[in-house]
Amino acid sequence: MHQKTKSGFPAILKTFRETLPAEHRIAGKQPARRKGELDSQARLLLIVNVLFITAGALSGTFVNVYLWKVKSQFAPIAWFTLANHLAGALTFWLAGAWVKRYNKMNALRSGMAVSALFYLLVLILGSKVVMYAALLGVVQGMAAGFFWLAFNVVYFEITEPDNRDLFNGWAGLLTSGGGMLAPWVSGQLISRLTDAKGYPLIFTLSLALFVIGVVVSFFLKKRQSEGVYSWTFAARALREDTDWRWAFAALAGQGLREGVFGFIIGLLVYIATKSEMTLGNYWLITSAVGLVSSYLVGKWLKPRYRKWGMLLGALAIIAAIIPFFWQVSYITLLVFGVAVGLFYPLYSFPIISTVFDLIGSSEEGARNRVEYVVLREFGLDAGRMLGILIFLAVTSFGTSVATLNWLILAIGMGPLVAWFCMRRLFSRVVPAGAKNE
């Protein structure tokens, strides 16, 4: 443990900082924890994260169901989701200058505040919500853009290669817990109340949680970025850096699945059961599995196992789609959900940790961390929007069970694409100290 440097020794402080890894030196961090552990700021960021995720999970799935009940078509929900991701990508890019130059904590709070505004608008619009689905998607996309840009930059600053997998494990554990309980509570409330009372109540609860999240965020330390924001950094990085071209393609493969599966699975459960309570129970069960898996993967998955762990996870969540060709029912959907809850952390943690390790692999990466986080989001959103556009194009010709099954399988191959692109990075991007683990 290093002694705290007194204010009268700036030269010693400068020398000490120069001995730290680049990402810490740029952020001005000093070690205050044991290797492999999370400090108080990391734990506080986890609380903010779980509040944001839980508030979204409380109503997120049921926003789609609400849209479906007003107008039983996939198109409005797909356009809502597409607008969400498009606005999110643009917000990441535009807000990058704000986060780079000013206090990124304000961007984090803005994300939660705009999320609260989204649910306020849903409450005001009521049954007219379908008419403004795309506009609402823009509002929610802006909220996500502000929050996740700031969150990911702060995540990079307060974690290191030796504890990123641990942070991801705790984040997965806590958000799975929120994702497990929140939809179940929502389903119980909607089923016991009329639609006119149940939906407004859960939207109001989400609004309240976002407000609490804003309050908690004030306990996070102000983190000032430095330098001038580069508007063309993403294009230049893709043109000049082979590793980032592969990482971008992998992120697009990950997003390809996320864009469509983020709304279609919950809708299929509701269509199959016609019950919000059953939908809540579905997320309770599948998220419970994800909670346990996230904890185990975060605790035991070492960097040297990322390549084959990700492949196993990718193949398993693709194979989980096959029962749909036999029958799309609550049972087959539950089998799918349990399999995904079990294996998705094994697939997703390696790509998350490795991409952030790639950002922190050089002093330039740490200095341009905001631009790299924007580039990362561009990759994810490019895949998400591509997947939704494919979904809209195919379903415009019909939405038979066979068509949906083949479409879901094709889009669900995205994780294998992501692994193929990531496999060459696992050996090239090795976290400091991981070689001997």
Side-chain angles (χ1 to χ4, degrees):
M1 181 67 69
H2 294 275
Q3 296 292 326
K4 184 177 180 181
T5 307
K6 295 182 180 180
S7 59
F9 296 91
I12 297 175
L13 175 60
K14 180 180 179 182
T15 301
F16 171 73
R17 284 181 176 172
E18 288 175 351
T19 66
L20 296 175
E23 62 191 86
H24 292 172
R25 187 162 64 252
I26 297 298
K29 293 172 64 176
Q30 296 186 33
R33 63 172 182 83
R34 296 178 181 176
K35 183 178 179 180
E37 293 184 351
L38 301 176
D39 62 16
S40 60
Q41 286 289 291
R43 291 192 289 270
L44 194 58
L45 187 63
L46 285 172
I47 294 173
V48 172
N49 184 33
V50 76
L51 282 170
F52 187 87
I53 294 295
T54 301
L58 193 65
S59 300
T61 297
F62 295 94
V63 168
N64 294 329
V65 173
Y66 190 60
L67 289 168
W68 178 267
K69 294 182 82 165
V70 174
K71 189 174 184 179
S72 299
Q73 294 180 1
F74 288 118
I77 300 166
W79 282 112
F80 166 79
T81 309
L82 179 65
N84 186 325
H85 294 309
L86 178 60
L90 288 174
T91 302
F92 256 77
W93 183 58
L94 295 172
W98 178 16
V99 169
K100 183 77 179 247
R101 187 172 180 180
Y102 302 107
N103 181 10
K104 62 183 70 68
M105 290 297 105
N106 288 334
L108 191 85
R109 293 169 196 130
S110 295
M112 290 183 281
V114 177
S115 292
L117 173 64
F118 168 80
Y119 286 104
L120 182 61
L121 290 173
V122 172
L123 286 168
I124 293 170
L125 290 171
S127 60
K128 297 178 181 179
V129 70
V130 173
M131 297 171 56
Y132 301 95
L135 180 60
L136 288 169
V138 170
V139 175
Q140 193 175 63
M142 290 175 60
F146 282 128
F147 180 85
W148 290 116
L149 172 60
F151 177 89
N152 285 324
V153 173
V154 176
Y155 158 77
F156 172 77
E157 291 177 351
I158 67 176
T159 61
E160 302 176 36
D162 68 84
N163 69 352
R164 279 197 184 116
D165 287 324
L166 178 63
F167 184 95
N168 292 337
W170 275 107
L173 177 69
L174 294 173
T175 56
S176 291
M180 175 179 69
L181 295 175
W184 179 79
V185 170
S186 297
Q188 296 292 321
L189 290 173
I190 294 171
S191 297
R192 284 169 167 72
L193 302 171
T194 63
D195 284 358
K197 293 181 179 179
Y199 280 98
L201 177 59
I202 65 166
F203 295 152
T204 301
L205 290 174
S206 289
L207 190 156
L209 284 177
F210 284 122
V211 172
I212 294 171
V214 171
V215 174
V216 173
S217 71
F218 280 97
F219 292 94
L220 283 165
K221 293 179 182 178
K222 179 179 179 180
R223 296 176 181 274
Q224 186 72 39
S225 295
E226 65 290 308
V228 178
Y229 182 69
S230 174
W231 295 97
T232 61
F233 184 88
R236 188 170 69 252
L238 292 177
R239 184 174 63 250
E240 299 175 356
D241 193 327
T242 302
D243 286 346
W244 269 103
R245 284 199 292 272
W246 284 111
F248 185 90
L251 291 164
Q254 181 184 5
L256 183 71
R257 178 190 185 278
E258 290 181 356
V260 174
F261 281 58
F263 70 87
I264 193 65
I265 299 303
L267 272 181
L268 289 177
V269 172
Y270 177 77
I271 292 169
T273 63
K274 299 294 189 296
S275 169
E276 285 91 350
M277 182 182 291
T278 304
L279 178 56
N281 291 338
Y282 175 86
W283 291 120
L284 176 70
I285 296 168
T286 57
S287 296
V289 176
L291 185 150
V292 175
S293 179
S294 294
Y295 174 76
L296 295 176
V297 172
K299 185 179 176 78
W300 299 110
L301 183 66
K302 302 298 182 183
R304 67 176 181 270
Y305 300 133
R306 287 176 182 174
K307 179 178 179 179
W308 302 115
M310 183 178 176
L311 177 61
L312 175 61
L315 291 174
I317 62 178
I318 292 170
I321 300 170
I322 295 175
F324 293 166
F325 287 88
W326 171 57
Q327 184 182 33
V328 179
S329 64
Y330 181 71
I331 297 300
T332 55
L333 286 162
L334 187 60
V335 169
F336 168 85
V338 169
V340 170
L342 185 62
F343 288 100
Y344 193 82
L346 197 60
Y347 153 72
S348 64
F349 286 8
I351 189 171
I352 294 171
S353 295
T354 302
V355 169
F356 277 96
D357 289 341
L358 179 60
I359 296 174
S361 61
S362 67
E363 185 171 320
E364 179 189 12
R367 185 170 56 250
N368 295 306
R369 57 192 176 275
V370 173
E371 288 89 344
Y372 275 119
V373 168
V374 172
L375 174 56
R376 174 181 179 270
E377 187 66 18
F378 276 174
L380 287 168
D381 280 328
R384 290 163 180 161
M385 288 186 285
L386 176 61
I388 295 168
L389 288 172
I390 293 171
F391 180 88
L392 283 166
V394 173
T395 55
S396 67
F397 294 101
T399 55
S400 67
V401 173
T403 299
L404 283 176
N405 284 343
W406 284 107
L407 179 58
I408 289 171
L409 180 62
I411 292 174
M413 298 296 288
L416 200 57
V417 174
W419 176 83
F420 179 82
C421 296
M422 284 297 298
R423 64 192 175 95
R424 65 194 64 224
L425 295 181
F426 288 127
S427 59
R428 291 170 60 85
V429 183
V430 181
K435 293 181 178 180
N436 298 323
E437 287 186 356

